[in-house]
Amino acid sequence: MIKAILIFNNHGKPRLSKFYEHYSEDTEQQIIRETFHLVSKRDENVCNFLEGGMLIGGSDNKLIYRHYATLYFVFCVDSSESELGILDLIQVFVETLDKCFENVCELDLIFHVDKVHHILSEMVMGGMVLETNMNEIITHVDAQNKMEKSEVRAASEARVLSIIILI
Amino acid sequence: MPAVSKGDGMRGLAVFISDIRNCKSKEAEIKRINKELANIRSKFKGDKALDGYSKKKYVCKLLFIFLLGHDIDFGHMEAVNLLSSNKYTEKQIGYLFISVLVNSNSDLIRLINNAIKNDLSSRNPTFMNLALHCIANVGSREMAEAFAAEVPRILVAGDTMDSVKQSAALCLLRLNRTSPDLVPMGEWTARVVHLLNDQHLGVVTAATSLITTLAQKNPDDFKTSVSLAVARLSRIVTSASTDLQDYTYYFVAAPWLSVKLLRLLQCYPPPEDAAIRGRLTECLETILNKAQEPPKSKKVQHSNAKNAVLFEAISLIIHHDSEPTLLVRACNQLGQFLQHRETNLRYLALESMCTLASSEFSHEAVKTHIETVINALKTERDVSVRQRAVDLLYAMCDRSNAKQIVAEMLSYLETADYSIREEIVLKVAILAEKYAVDYTWYVDTILNLIRIAGDYVSEEVWYRVIQIVINRDDVQGYAAKTVFEALQAPACHENLVKVGGYILGEFGNLIAGDPRSSPLIQFNLLHSKFHLCSVPTRALLLSAYIKFINLFPEVKGTIQEVLRSDSQLRNADVELQQRAVEYLRLSCIASTDILATVLEEMPPFPERESSILAKLKKKKGPGTVPDPEDNRKERCANINGATNHSSTTANAKASAPSFIGDLLAPVLPPINRPRPVSSLSLLPTPLTPLSLQAYAMPLSPSAGSHFQVSSPASDLLSLGSASTLNSTPPSAPKASASLLVDVFSDNSPTAPIGAPAVVVADENFSRFVCKNNGVLFENQLLQIGLKSEYRQNLGRMYVFYGNKTSTQFHNFTASVVCQDGLNSQLNVHAKPADPMVEGGAQLQQTLNIECLSDFVEAPVLNIQFRYGGILQNISVKLPVTLNKFFQPTEMGSQDFFQRWKQLGAPQQEVQKIFKAMYSMDSEVTKAKIIGFGVALLDGVDPNPSNFVGAGVIHTKTSQVGCLIRLEPNAQAQMYRLTLRTSRDTVSQRLCDLLSDQF
């Protein structure tokens, strides 16, 4: 099971945090800090796995992470997950973000945190992997966007309409 | 076209975020946030109704603020209101807020549940998905109560969309994890298994995850999934990768699903059906073959996906542990990976090999890679990988390579990362002890450990070396010589001073003949370290000095001088002061004889689990520290992880007067359980470092207890304290002699030929299964009471014969007979009872019991006496049952289920469903399970009304791990009892015993 998914930048600023087990808000922040501390001090070409920190899980848990340009993507998982499988999942996540945002960068994650959450929720649900097929994920995201747009349009039309009536 | 166009974001949100990002200081940021929070609060509270867009905007702002680590204590209500909007965007943001910010015990749950209920029944797949996501992410009990029945229906309904099915499967999985008791198995389970055949691979993947979790808990209900999983896997593995189109990931066919299927198969033993088994073997071979093919892409993603499947296949092969050819191929494959340029693969290969090393088929094959692993230890740049290499070396160690591995670990220790040094120290200490053929090597190794990494040598390690030196005569001289030499170093670690002080104090005389290590030189050497040491070490050294006075009368004057100095007699530390005063007095007034008695060499320590191993287990969590050798021998039986250690290595250690000796030592009050408390700790005698208190007491009444305070040496003793009183050893031979007499006299008086056949009474027998004390038998003449205690494979039973009449019983004899094959499984020695029992009096008889191997029958106690001239014959079944030799084992949920899984062979499990005979009170049941001898494990079974226990049966020849699960069904007044042990006879017997108790 995936216990938590964290994205933070090279300075440890969190850009996304999603916990699938309940922790208090303080503990969540501590976990993010501890994880950043553990991950950021590692060299570039060492392995992508390391034993979890003390806060999240202890010895049964692993941190599996990838470092892309300015961002770290970290998945905290227990032993029931395949390490390489999770690495693939991170890759799928990033590729999907890249497709959805066209050359995703840190700013996209900052300004569209709701979208990132929605994309993630198409892939991982309650700590379990829901979908790994990128096309399928993007189809779902597209469908949502269409709905959103049509609603926005409808709303603006309604507004225009009400103005017309007022006139 | 990008799915998210960048322009359509919310302007207000973007402005706010930019503001925050432009803040120069933390204070400015907090100020800006507080301003925004106040703004949002007033907007929410304001009279003007907000439109959906504004609500959404504000909720997004709150999410951002939360991400920065600030508490959000409002807005929940607005988010809940958004849920009931019929606009997708608003609903979605409402759900997002709730799954990020609402914890499972919020009082809003009921409102949220309502909204979810509406969405689930909306038949709009998007809304249904949002609702299912919310349930899965929050996963609270209240939600489970509300939807545990609904979700399975959605999952198996024919008209449910694929994407909803996927979500429903995972949602159900989540509910099953958080509140398993609320998710009833039902007819949907069979239909879930058939989802493995679904057209849509996403559905199959989600269903596989669900089934894997369910199958771990109820393997029987999901047995049929094995054949379906094998079929599915086979289709994926053999298909040309293009067949699966979208689920092909960098030229690998559905890697994620393959991994999940292979995980599912690890819940079960190898399939029994030969055809399925053949097909599975074929799949595994194909996967192994593919690893040798040239890669279809140079991208790292391709090899990652391929290897994810490969590693999972190897885990399955290791789990099945039945196909030697596959195991060896797996080992070779891992061997290739050990030298791969990808660090990830080296890491995973080392990790997998660790488990492979415990299989007897592949242990030798793993050993061939020793050079590579050692090289990894030396050259890997990544500490995670080096750590795995250390683990693997530990796992592959056996008698043949112990010296090499220990040497390599020691040399690695000099440069090892600080984070893993203590663990390496423990591992080296364990391996050195376990595989020591000659103990000089052991002593050298431990002293080296202290020299190289003294700070990381925990107390357990140096306690252990002293225990071993004391218990083994042949190494004492060498140990004394070696520590003496080691102490010559100008700077030595304090731990070395402790070991040195203790060993020279005990065995310094063995090297005193050499003029280079004369008594005075030894003393001066020790004393030169004295001032650099901490108080506990100084206390230990003072004890060593008084031992010197006994060993070497010629240095008495010098030592007395030291003791008399102000820095000792007036030391600010009360412990040191007291020792100095008392030792000085002792040396002045006691005659040499008394001194020699009081300061006699320490008696051997009773054997018990190595304290180091216990420490390592504690550090790593139980079950994660396999004892390499036991693991191989008895992989399934080894439920207790490494606790078997001491017994298997017992032959390598001094045979100590363990249990019997302990019992004989001081008067031991009959002890009721709880048993996990060692009988030793109940001894009333306070302990002192030097067996001194017998003498020291009259000097100062408080001394006895005082000696213990903060003295590390007394800790050492408490590891094996039973026989510290020097008065005890002499009594031991006497007692055991009488024990021997018993053995011989045992047979004669029993069952005289021609004596009338007596019915063996056993009506109270089953009452003693879960308890040790009580009345076993009663008639108008005689009452028989029992008190018993057990430890490991030994037990002692006190039988009390009460004469209920007012006249004497003559010619009273009581003997124990082990009928049929029982005498080869159980030894019972009865001390002869007094032939005369006065009227109204009680007679006590002691039985010593030893369990040699597992047994079913019970010994019979035959009693004969004359009452009023008539010969009375009474036979009673003695309640010595197999479960008495349990040692409880604590373990966590993970371990429990892992072991449960390992004991999955059909003959290892015994299950019985039976009607409750007594009222189903959970406290009583708990007491009975604990009384049965196993550890009652809380929080292991996901259903809190079930009981789960674990223990190890100790017999002389083996140890059998046992897992117990008792599932009460209050409505039906029935129980289901399941036992898994590595031995079928044991499972059966324990099941019979326990099922009579409820």
Side-chain angles (χ1 to χ4, degrees):
Chain A
M1 177 184 172
I2 300 169
K3 299 282 172 73
I5 295 172
L6 308 173
I7 305 177
F8 39 73
N9 71 5
N10 290 349
H11 306 291
K13 277 253 181 253
R15 292 308 176 208
L16 175 108
S17 70
K18 178 80 193 155
F19 288 84
Y20 295 100
E21 293 212 322
H22 182 67
Y23 298 96
S24 74
E25 281 147 33
D26 283 346
T27 321
E28 288 186 3
Q29 291 299 321
Q30 278 175 20
I31 289 173
I32 294 173
R33 276 196 296 275
E34 186 191 33
T35 311
F36 170 70
H37 180 74
L38 284 171
V39 168
S40 61
K41 67 176 183 200
R42 291 170 61 83
D43 290 343
E44 271 310 309
N45 43 12
V46 296
C47 73
N48 298 92
F49 323 118
L50 73 161
E51 234 86 308
M54 292 329 285
L55 290 168
I56 190 155
S59 64
D60 188 44
N61 280 14
K62 278 212 175 89
L63 300 175
I64 297 174
Y65 73 98
R66 266 182 189 277
H67 190 194
Y68 294 92
T70 62
L71 291 174
Y72 285 98
F73 287 69
V74 186
F75 281 45
C76 307
V77 302
D78 68 12
S79 61
S80 70
E81 299 291 343
S82 149
E83 286 96 341
L84 290 172
I86 294 287
L87 273 187
D88 287 344
L89 190 69
I90 298 177
Q91 178 69 19
V92 172
F93 184 32
V94 172
E95 285 184 28
T96 309
L97 288 175
D98 202 48
K99 283 224 169 113
C100 291
F101 288 107
E102 243 181 339
N103 289 329
V104 66
C105 67
E106 193 179 337
L107 285 177
D108 293 322
L109 303 193
I110 297 172
F111 287 105
H112 299 279
V113 76
D114 53 328
K115 297 259 154 58
V116 180
H117 268 290
H118 293 146
I119 293 167
L120 184 61
S121 70
E122 291 298 328
M123 300 179 60
V124 180
M125 171 173 162
M128 299 302 300
V129 178
L130 179 65
E131 184 58 72
T132 52
N133 175 355
M134 207 191 314
N135 294 339
E136 190 97 351
I137 299 166
I138 288 175
T139 316
H140 288 171
V141 174
D142 279 343
Q144 286 167 16
N145 286 329
K146 262 192 208 121
M147 267 193 280
E148 231 168 273
K149 284 220 177 95
S150 68
E151 280 175 8
V152 170
R153 207 174 305 131
S156 60
E157 275 165 14
R159 218 168 11 239
V160 171
L161 209 64
S162 65
I163 293 168
I164 294 172
I165 292 168
L166 282 179
I167 293 169
Chain B
M1 180 204 128
V4 179
S5 58
K6 294 189 179 181
D8 64 358
M10 287 161 281
R11 240 184 71 82
L13 176 66
V15 169
F16 170 61
I17 293 174
S18 304
D19 281 359
I20 295 286
R21 286 165 51 79
N22 290 333
C23 284
K24 294 279 187 293
S25 67
K26 195 80 193 164
E27 288 72 31
E29 185 186 307
I30 291 172
K31 210 171 147 201
R32 179 68 184 89
I33 284 172
N34 285 338
K35 187 179 150 206
E36 192 63 38
L37 286 174
N39 171 38
I40 300 173
R41 213 186 289 260
S42 71
K43 283 281 177 0
F44 280 163
K45 281 216 182 109
D47 307 327
K48 223 177 90 194
L50 293 173
D51 61 357
Y53 169 80
S54 326
K55 277 192 207 159
K56 182 179 156 186
K57 181 176 72 186
Y58 294 132
V59 167
C60 277
K61 283 182 181 174
L62 289 181
L63 278 176
F64 184 77
I65 295 171
F66 178 73
L67 183 66
L68 292 177
H70 300 269
D71 282 352
I72 302 294
D73 52 4
F74 68 100
H76 300 70
M77 201 57 216
E78 284 70 19
V80 173
N81 287 337
L82 283 174
L83 293 186
S84 43
S85 160
N86 52 7
K87 280 193 186 138
Y88 170 72
T89 36
E90 293 170 15
K91 198 186 271 295
Q92 190 194 32
I93 210 81
Y95 273 121
L96 175 59
F97 183 89
I98 283 162
S99 63
V100 173
L101 264 161
V102 174
N103 61 43
S104 44
N105 32 21
S106 160
D107 34 345
L108 290 173
I109 287 280
R110 224 157 278 159
L111 292 172
I112 298 170
N113 277 358
N114 252 337
I116 292 178
K117 197 164 280 169
N118 289 335
D119 283 334
L120 281 185
S121 51
S122 69
R123 310 192 64 75
N124 174 336
T126 318
F127 289 3
M128 287 171 89
N129 270 339
L130 284 175
L132 288 168
H133 272 277
C134 184
I135 302 173
N137 285 334
V138 178
S140 72
R141 241 193 120 67
E142 271 171 317
M143 282 198 177
E145 275 163 8
F147 303 111
E150 178 69 13
V151 179
R153 248 205 319 272
I154 296 174
L155 174 60
V156 297
D159 57 349
T160 307
M161 301 259 300
D162 286 337
S163 67
V164 179
K165 267 192 202 166
Q166 269 173 282
S167 305
L170 295 184
C171 183
L172 189 54
L173 168 53
R174 173 70 178 195
L175 292 184
N176 185 280
R177 281 222 175 111
T178 51
S179 337
D181 51 314
L182 294 177
V183 182
M185 298 291 134
E187 56 94 43
W188 59 271
T189 49
R191 298 175 65 182
V192 165
V193 173
H194 283 280
L195 287 179
L196 290 178
N197 276 333
D198 201 281
Q199 296 277 319
H200 191 278
L201 285 198
V203 175
V204 184
T205 311
T208 313
S209 299
L210 174 63
I211 294 169
T212 305
T213 305
L214 294 177
Q216 278 163 359
K217 293 173 185 163
N218 312 291
D220 293 343
D221 294 348
F222 293 91
K223 259 187 188 142
T224 45
S225 63
V226 172
S227 60
L228 291 176
V230 171
R232 191 92 221 193
L233 181 66
S234 160
R235 264 180 283 157
I236 297 171
V237 170
T238 52
S239 75
S241 54
T242 47
D243 294 358
L244 298 161
Q245 303 194 350
D246 287 349
Y247 283 86
T248 299
Y249 175 82
Y250 288 93
F251 305 101
V252 183
W256 195 271
L257 177 56
S258 310
V259 166
K260 288 279 164 195
L261 289 169
L262 288 162
R263 283 264 158 153
L264 170 60
L265 290 171
Q266 286 174 52
C267 297
Y268 289 95
E272 281 158 28
D273 183 321
I276 300 175
R277 196 178 171 137
R279 203 161 172 198
L280 177 58
T281 308
E282 203 180 310
C283 285
L284 296 172
E285 274 169 351
T286 315
I287 295 172
L288 285 170
N289 290 341
K290 278 190 182 166
Q292 301 301 328
E293 288 168 11
K296 291 188 181 125
S297 154
K298 286 224 164 65
K299 283 253 168 72
V300 63
Q301 282 80 10
H302 170 69
S303 74
N304 260 356
K306 201 163 100 174
N307 292 328
V309 179
L310 179 60
F311 272 107
E312 217 49 63
I314 290 175
S315 307
L316 181 64
I317 292 169
I318 298 172
H319 170 79
H320 282 173
D321 197 16
S322 59
E323 301 269 354
T325 43
L326 282 180
L327 279 164
V328 169
R329 280 194 67 182
C331 185
N332 293 339
Q333 182 62 54
L334 293 178
Q336 281 183 21
F337 282 150
L338 284 182
Q339 315 205 28
H340 202 281
R341 57 187 173 77
E342 267 281 316
T343 317
N344 286 339
L345 294 181
R346 295 198 301 273
Y347 174 94
L348 292 172
L350 288 165
E351 192 180 55
S352 297
M353 255 199 190
C354 253
T355 44
L356 201 54
S358 61
S359 160
E360 56 177 320
F361 296 118
S362 48
H363 180 74
E364 288 304 315
V366 170
K367 270 167 64 186
T368 56
H369 298 289
I370 185 167
E371 295 302 334
T372 322
V373 182
I374 288 172
N375 202 32
L377 197 59
K378 288 178 179 157
T379 57
E380 282 291 348
R381 293 176 46 215
D382 185 349
V383 57
S384 300
V385 183
R386 289 196 299 266
Q387 165 95 56
R388 289 287 87 82
V390 172
D391 287 349
L392 178 54
L393 283 179
Y394 180 74
M396 66 160 65
C397 190
D398 64 14
R399 212 164 283 284
S400 70
N401 54 21
K403 285 205 173 171
Q404 185 188 7
I405 285 179
V406 165
E408 291 297 346
M409 280 189 172
L410 271 178
S411 73
Y412 172 57
L413 194 53
E414 308 213 27
T415 55
D417 308 75
Y418 296 111
S419 53
I420 57 174
R421 279 195 182 183
E422 186 181 355
E423 197 186 313
I424 297 177
V425 167
L426 290 173
K427 285 185 164 156
V428 168
I430 290 167
L431 292 177
E433 178 187 337
K434 192 167 165 61
Y435 297 113
V437 183
D438 103 56
Y439 274 79
T440 56
W441 173 68
Y442 171 76
V443 170
D444 286 342
T445 305
I446 300 291
L447 291 182
N448 261 333
L449 262 189
I450 295 176
R451 184 178 55 76
I452 295 169
D455 286 343
Y456 298 88
V457 171
S458 55
E459 300 204 315
E460 287 84 354
V461 172
W462 76 261
Y463 288 176
R464 191 69 192 160
V465 69
I466 285 175
Q467 284 180 19
I468 286 179
V469 169
I470 288 188
N471 284 4
R472 297 197 58 93
D473 311 346
D474 52 339
V475 76
Q476 288 159 357
Y478 181 80
K481 180 165 159 284
T482 319
V483 291
F484 177 77
E485 278 160 10
L487 282 170
Q488 309 276 352
C492 33
H493 195 271
E494 189 161 331
N495 278 333
L496 182 65
V497 179
K498 290 179 187 165
V499 175
Y502 204 108
I503 288 182
L504 291 181
E506 292 292 327
F507 308 113
N509 55 331
L510 300 177
I511 55 169
D514 189 325
R516 284 166 300 177
S517 53
S518 72
L520 191 61
I521 294 178
Q522 282 186 41
F523 171 75
N524 285 336
L525 180 61
L526 276 183
H527 198 57
S528 68
K529 315 284 180 195
F530 188 90
H531 302 281
L532 304 169
C533 292
S534 63
V535 168
T537 309
R538 290 190 199 186
L540 186 147
L541 286 178
L542 287 180
S543 299
Y545 297 168
I546 185 80
K547 286 249 168 181
F548 268 22
I549 291 184
N550 175 43
L551 292 178
F552 316 118
E554 63 266 39
V555 294
K556 185 171 175 177
T558 320
I559 293 177
Q560 281 177 335
E561 201 63 32
V562 169
L563 291 176
R564 200 173 285 133
S565 72
D566 275 356
S567 63
Q568 308 298 350
L569 278 188
R570 300 195 177 176
N571 195 295
D573 186 273
V574 69
E575 171 77 22
L576 294 180
Q577 193 184 96
Q578 180 138 11
R579 283 193 190 215
V581 171
E582 285 172 0
Y583 290 162
L584 182 61
R585 278 305 282 162
L586 180 64
S587 68
C588 294
I589 62 172
S591 71
T592 40
D593 282 354
I594 292 179
L595 262 189
T597 315
V598 172
L599 300 170
E600 201 183 18
E601 193 179 298
M602 291 295 294
F605 290 90
E607 281 309 322
R608 58 175 59 197
E609 180 187 359
S610 157
S611 47
I612 315 175
L613 206 55
K615 165 111 179 176
L616 183 61
K617 271 192 293 182
K618 205 166 113 202
K619 204 170 153 60
K620 299 275 275 186
T624 49
V625 189
D627 188 313
E629 198 173 71
D630 297 341
N631 231 5
R632 278 193 295 284
K633 276 190 199 140
E634 228 182 319
R635 207 172 157 207
C636 297
N638 192 4
I639 173 173
N640 206 3
T643 21
N644 297 353
H645 175 81
S646 60
S647 73
T648 47
T649 51
N651 54 350
K653 299 171 196 158
S655 59
S658 57
F659 184 51
I660 301 287
D662 291 353
L663 282 181
L664 286 172
V667 187
L668 190 68
I671 309 153
N672 299 336
R673 287 184 177 174
R675 266 193 324 191
V677 180
S678 143
S679 62
L680 299 176
S681 58
L682 295 172
L683 288 178
T685 337
L687 304 159
T688 73
L690 292 166
S691 336
L692 253 176
Q693 87 277 34
Y695 193 77
M697 285 288 199
L699 278 173
S700 86
S702 69
S705 53
H706 198 88
F707 266 112
Q708 297 190 74
V709 180
S710 76
S711 146
S714 71
D715 279 346
L716 173 55
L717 287 174
S718 68
L719 290 171
S721 50
S723 43
T724 35
L725 278 176
N726 284 325
S727 56
T728 45
S731 73
K734 241 187 285 167
S736 54
S738 66
L739 210 93
L740 275 179
V741 174
D742 277 354
V743 181
F744 295 120
S745 64
D746 221 16
N747 301 328
S748 45
T750 54
I753 302 160
V758 208
V759 181
V760 178
D762 64 354
E763 58 265 6
N764 285 339
F765 183 80
S766 76
R767 287 185 15 207
F768 281 85
V769 169
C770 294
K771 59 176 196 163
N772 283 335
N773 306 328
V775 173
L776 177 65
F777 173 87
E778 186 157 24
N779 64 10
Q780 61 274 41
L781 303 176
L782 180 72
Q783 185 192 51
I784 304 178
L786 289 185
K787 281 188 173 179
S788 34
E789 62 205 28
Y790 292 87
R791 208 173 80 187
Q792 305 216 334
N793 68 324
L794 299 170
R796 177 182 251 208
M797 188 180 269
Y798 303 89
V799 189
F800 299 91
Y801 303 96
N803 183 345
K804 288 169 72 180
T805 69
S806 52
T807 39
Q808 285 178 340
F809 294 161
H810 293 283
N811 296 353
F812 187 92
T813 61
S815 60
V816 179
V817 184
C818 293
Q819 277 149 337
D820 302 322
L822 187 59
N823 51 12
S824 64
Q825 296 160 340
L826 197 67
N827 269 336
V828 183
H829 295 305
K831 290 192 185 176
D834 206 324
M836 181 96 80
V837 189
E838 293 292 340
Q842 200 180 48
L843 179 73
Q844 183 189 336
Q845 186 183 28
T846 309
L847 310 178
N848 288 317
I849 302 161
E850 184 186 18
C851 176
L852 303 174
S853 68
D854 64 295
F855 61 97
V856 173
E857 294 302 322
V860 175
L861 180 66
N862 289 320
I863 301 142
Q864 279 190 335
F865 57 91
R866 284 188 178 278
Y867 169 68
I870 303 161
L871 184 68
Q872 303 282 339
N873 260 323
I874 295 171
S875 291
V876 190
K877 242 192 194 178
L878 267 184
V880 179
T881 47
L882 185 54
N883 64 297
K884 300 294 180 195
F885 303 96
F886 257 129
Q887 289 287 110
T889 310
E890 290 292 349
M891 60 178 83
S893 171
Q894 187 91 21
D895 285 318
F896 183 86
F897 285 111
Q898 192 184 344
R899 285 174 184 149
W900 184 264
K901 224 167 60 186
Q902 281 172 356
L903 297 172
Q907 70 278 8
Q908 293 174 331
E909 184 190 272
V910 174
Q911 192 172 73
K912 195 161 172 181
I913 297 172
F914 54 90
K915 197 124 193 97
M917 288 190 294
Y918 306 98
S919 77
M920 300 178 78
D921 181 336
S922 81
E923 286 315 306
V924 175
T925 310
K926 273 185 195 166
K928 281 183 175 168
I929 290 176
I930 292 169
F932 194 61
V934 293
L936 186 69
L937 305 178
D938 273 330
V940 167
D941 198 300
N943 180 348
S945 58
N946 291 348
F947 302 94
V948 167
V952 177
I953 297 269
H954 287 254
T955 72
K956 192 179 179 191
T957 48
S958 64
Q959 299 180 353
V960 184
C962 174
L963 303 175
I964 289 180
R965 188 178 194 202
L966 180 71
E967 299 158 271
N969 180 340
Q971 277 133 27
Q973 286 289 306
M974 301 280 279
Y975 285 102
R976 178 161 74 176
L977 173 65
T978 315
L979 274 117
R980 287 189 176 185
T981 77
S982 48
R983 198 166 304 161
D984 48 351
T985 50
V986 175
S987 301
Q988 188 59 53
R989 179 60 184 153
L990 291 176
C991 182
D992 292 345
L993 285 170
L994 189 58
S995 60
D996 278 343
Q997 299 298 314
F998 300 103

